[in-house]
């Protein structure tokens, strides 16, 4: 048996006893409890941390549970056969129970970028020893392990740095998390500018949590946004895509989008859209707002949302702007559309990656807008039997709700879907224009 490191750093915490906080074990998923107890039985220390504790403190249902421990990723893997180490930049362990994934991280230590070139002898004092910063101070890798108090100071916001333990069911607060929960404030831990230089995505996370929790962003936490927002340009497009999905598919997309714009961070994710909205007069900003509100409503009702629909809405003004360009000679309307859609995605890809599985569906939703114009029997049938019909129809309704005059097209499709076969045939006949061949014969 290896000797388990004892837990140091506890003396730095304010301890909130069982009867001084509202969290009960019943609110924690059985699998999470199983993991916490397994660590305890095997001599390690493990805590519920992050959104799990924060949301339970606020009386909300956590989205998932994160655990922090003094066991290393390798030790965790040995303890749980369903564990998998993922990530390189920031090693974490996923313990999977069917559909539930519990994210476990080893306590991080503070590490000064200056020390990265320290000699081997001094580096050997630290466990993990794998960290790297860019010249601007951005954390490239962060796998230096430490004590719980150090771990707390590496977390982003005070309300995300509360630790719950099954040992006496206490909460440990190493910063001002409890106080800020009361004040309803998102406050970054440490020096704001340094923390944003280490990881610019923290600025987006501040917006996300502020929108989700209805908290304000504390003054010194928001002050650097204007000056340091541009650091988001150096974050990988793939990570920005992931973060964008969290911003928009977290149930508070409408408020989040508004806050992103108010805090001047919108252009680092959606510059093409915001630019296009300035240039075009039609109500496409309204369309985006409605799409985001609908998304939030769907999520509240437990329905799913597709990123493709969101991107179709957000990029609609950009597409429309490109479509106002004159059609090149020799190009038909469909080719013109393809070119405009390609350009739209290409511009957005400068800001966020978007996987092809997403763009291809957004493209179909756009393309179907033309087919829904009901030119003839064939196009009506093709649109109706298309796998994206429902999404395209929803999109059409949004366009009308936003103020586009489409001659009650949405209502036509609503009636069409509700009608029986006989009614459908009647409706098709009523709007179908005779085909060219038939026109010639008559
Ligand atoms: P939710 O899961 O509800 O979106 P969360 O607070 O649990 O919110 P996660 O992204 O799951 O957020 O991260 C878990 C915890 O890890 C956070 O609460 C925070 O303590 C820490 N954390 C995550 N990302 C960062 C970051 N970029 N910088 C510092 N700490 C972070
Ligand atoms: Mg979480």
């Amino acid at each position: 048996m290896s000797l388990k490191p004892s837990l140091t750093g506890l003396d730095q915490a304010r301890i909130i006893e069982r009867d001084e906080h509202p969290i009960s074990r019943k609110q924690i998923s059985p699998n999470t409890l199983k993991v916490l107890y397994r660590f305890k039985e095997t001599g390690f220390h493990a805590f519920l941390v992050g959104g799990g504790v924060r949301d339970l403190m606020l009386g909300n249902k956590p989205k998932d549970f994160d655990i922090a421990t003094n066991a290393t990723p390798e030790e965790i893997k040995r303890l749980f056969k369903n564990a998998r180490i993922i990530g390189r930049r920031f090693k974490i362990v996923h313990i999977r129970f069917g559909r539930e994934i519990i994210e476990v991280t080893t306590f991080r230590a503070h590490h000064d970028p200056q020390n990265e070139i320290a000699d081997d002898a001094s580096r050997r004092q630290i466990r993990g020893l794998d960290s790297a910063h860019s010249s601007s101070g951005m954390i490239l890798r962060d796998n230096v392990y430490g004590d719980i108090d150090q771990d707390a100071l590496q977390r982003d916001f005070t309300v995300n740095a509360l630790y719950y333990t099954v040992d006496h069911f206490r909460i440990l607060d190493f910063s001002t998390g409890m106080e800020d929960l009361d004040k309803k404030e998102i406050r970054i831990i440490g020096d704001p500018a340094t923390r944003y230089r280490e990881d610019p995505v923290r600025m987006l996370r501040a917006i996300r949590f502020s929108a989700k929790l209805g908290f304000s962003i504390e003054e010194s936490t928001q002050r650097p946004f204007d000056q340091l927002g541009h650091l988001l340009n150096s974050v990988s497009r793939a990570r920005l895509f992931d973060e964008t999905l969290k911003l928009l598919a977290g149930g508070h997309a409408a408020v989040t989008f508004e806050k992103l714009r108010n805090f001047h961070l919108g252009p680092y994710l959606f510059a093409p859209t915001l630019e296009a909205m300035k240039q075009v007069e039609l109500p496409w900003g309204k369309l985006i707002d409605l799409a985001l509100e609908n998304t939030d409503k769907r999520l509240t009702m437990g329905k799913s949302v597709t990123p493709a629909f969101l991107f179709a809405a957000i990029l609609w003004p950009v597409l429309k702007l490109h479509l106002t360009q004159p059609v090149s000679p020799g190009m038909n309307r469909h080719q013109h559309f393809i070119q405009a859609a390609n350009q739209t995605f290409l511009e957005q890809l400068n800001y966020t990656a978007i996987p092809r599985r997403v763009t291809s569906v957004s493209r179909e939703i756009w393309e179907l807008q033309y087919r829904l114009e009901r030119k003839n029997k064939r196009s009506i049938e093709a649109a109706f039997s298309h796998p994206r019909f429902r999404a395209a129809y929803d999109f059409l309704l949004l366009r009308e709700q936003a103020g586009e005059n489409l001659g009650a097209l949405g209502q036509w499709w609503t009636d069409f879907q509700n009608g029986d076969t006989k009614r459908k045939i009647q409706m098709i006949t009523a709007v179908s224009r005779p085909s060219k061949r038939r026109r010639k014969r008559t």
Side-chain angles (χ1 to χ4, degrees):
M1 267 294 268
S2 63
L3 197 64
K4 307 287 170 4
S6 63
L7 192 65
T8 45
L10 280 181
D11 50 333
Q12 301 298 317
R14 173 184 160 203
I15 294 171
I16 297 102
E17 299 290 349
R18 169 69 196 97
D19 56 1
E20 296 168 330
H21 67 74
I23 300 182
S24 107
R25 259 179 307 172
K26 286 191 219 84
Q27 299 161 298
I28 303 168
S29 85
N31 292 324
T32 306
L33 286 172
K34 224 185 280 173
V35 173
L36 288 171
Y37 280 108
R38 175 116 177 92
F39 275 121
K40 186 169 144 85
E41 284 155 15
T42 48
F44 288 105
H45 297 273
F47 298 80
L48 195 64
V49 71
V53 185
R54 180 197 67 218
D55 292 347
L56 287 178
M57 284 298 297
L58 293 169
N60 301 333
K61 192 174 182 311
K63 186 168 69 67
D64 47 35
F65 291 100
D66 304 297
I67 290 177
T69 175
N70 64 342
T72 63
E74 290 70 25
E75 285 169 329
I76 303 167
K77 214 170 155 340
R78 257 177 266 138
L79 278 184
F80 300 93
K81 58 178 185 311
N82 44 346
R84 220 161 60 96
I85 300 178
I86 59 159
R88 206 177 84 85
R89 199 182 72 86
F90 191 90
K91 262 192 206 172
I92 51 183
V93 183
H94 276 178
I95 305 184
R96 182 184 277 274
F97 297 88
R99 292 183 62 178
E100 184 178 4
I101 294 179
I102 296 160
E103 212 165 90
V104 186
T105 50
T106 305
F107 296 145
R108 256 50 179 193
H110 175 73
H111 50 286
D112 196 327
Q114 305 298 327
N115 288 343
E116 273 160 21
I117 40 172
D119 59 274
D120 269 354
S122 65
R123 294 183 76 188
R124 233 173 275 134
Q125 313 277 318
I126 325 168
R127 297 196 306 149
L129 299 182
D130 178 25
S131 82
H133 287 72
S134 74
S135 55
S136 64
M138 190 153 95
I139 299 177
L140 302 176
R141 271 200 316 284
D142 182 7
N143 293 309
V144 177
Y145 306 130
D147 293 322
I148 186 170
D149 57 329
Q150 295 170 305
D151 185 78
L153 302 183
Q154 297 311 301
R155 293 186 177 269
D156 46 9
F157 306 108
T158 57
V159 295
N160 285 350
L162 294 167
Y163 295 71
Y164 172 89
T165 164
V166 287
D167 225 6
H168 304 291
F169 312 109
R170 291 167 162 161
I171 291 176
L172 310 182
D173 183 0
F174 294 87
S175 55
T176 55
M178 295 297 282
E179 211 181 303
D180 293 328
L181 276 180
D182 276 344
K183 285 201 229 159
K184 296 186 174 299
E185 261 183 7
I186 300 296
R187 179 190 301 271
I188 193 135
I189 296 175
D191 171 57
T194 310
R195 301 305 310 284
Y196 297 138
R197 284 207 180 87
E198 284 174 356
D199 182 3
V201 170
R202 288 173 185 151
M203 290 181 266
L204 299 177
R205 288 175 59 88
I207 305 270
R208 174 153 71 88
F209 294 126
S210 135
K212 169 176 165 156
L213 306 172
F215 280 24
S216 59
I217 304 179
E218 180 271 330
E219 174 58 30
S220 73
T221 303
Q222 56 166 281
R223 205 180 305 130
F225 287 0
D226 273 344
Q227 227 179 358
L228 299 183
H230 70 95
L231 294 174
L232 286 163
N233 290 327
S234 51
V235 176
S236 84
R237 304 295 173 250
R239 185 155 178 234
L240 288 180
F241 173 75
D242 289 347
E243 198 54 39
T244 300
L245 282 193
K246 288 187 194 162
L247 287 161
L248 299 182
H252 306 272
V255 186
T256 305
F257 196 73
E258 190 189 323
K259 282 188 188 258
L260 279 173
R261 293 179 68 185
N262 292 346
F263 283 106
H264 309 140
L265 295 176
Y268 301 106
L269 296 177
F270 307 116
T273 299
L274 300 175
E275 276 307 307
M277 274 161 56
K278 279 188 222 156
Q279 293 181 48
V280 290
E281 302 220 327
L282 277 165
W284 292 318
K286 179 97 187 288
L287 178 128
I288 294 175
D289 290 343
L290 288 169
L292 299 178
E293 282 163 24
N294 270 6
T295 302
D296 293 342
K297 270 192 218 133
R298 285 184 66 92
L299 288 166
T300 319
M301 292 189 294
K303 292 188 188 170
S304 64
V305 298
T306 83
F309 190 87
L310 279 168
F311 275 94
I314 287 178
L315 293 175
W316 181 249
V318 189
L319 177 79
K320 281 298 204 183
L321 185 66
H322 287 305
L323 284 171
T324 58
Q325 303 297 319
V327 183
S328 316
M331 225 182 224
N332 63 28
R333 188 176 167 209
H334 187 245
Q335 288 163 330
H336 182 58
F337 163 78
I338 302 270
Q339 192 185 46
N342 287 346
Q343 267 174 333
T344 301
F345 290 128
L346 212 60
E347 280 169 25
Q348 180 59 29
L349 287 174
N350 287 322
Y351 298 87
T352 61
I354 319 179
R356 196 173 284 271
R357 66 186 147 78
V358 174
T359 55
S360 63
V361 177
S362 308
R363 191 191 290 270
E364 284 177 315
I365 293 171
W366 290 339
E367 219 168 341
L368 275 165
Q369 299 308 302
Y370 297 99
R371 297 214 204 149
L372 292 177
E373 285 173 13
R374 329 159 295 188
K375 291 277 160 330
N376 52 42
K377 182 169 184 278
R378 233 184 76 210
S379 77
I380 292 172
E381 284 171 352
F384 191 56
S385 60
H386 195 284
R388 307 288 169 221
F389 169 77
R390 185 68 212 194
Y393 161 73
D394 286 343
F395 198 86
L396 184 80
L397 295 184
L398 271 190
R399 287 170 61 197
E400 287 191 331
Q401 262 176 286
E404 223 180 315
N405 184 357
L406 299 171
L409 197 54
Q411 188 58 49
W412 190 92
W413 279 105
T414 308
D415 296 342
F416 185 78
Q417 288 172 84
N418 294 336
D420 56 16
T421 313
K422 193 171 150 217
R423 174 84 187 118
K424 281 192 173 74
I425 295 169
Q426 280 172 348
M427 287 180 79
I428 292 176
T429 318
V431 296
S432 288
R433 288 179 223 142
S435 71
K436 271 186 196 156
R437 244 217 255 125
R438 266 175 46 208
R439 266 202 304 255
K440 244 189 220 162
R441 256 190 258 138
T442 47

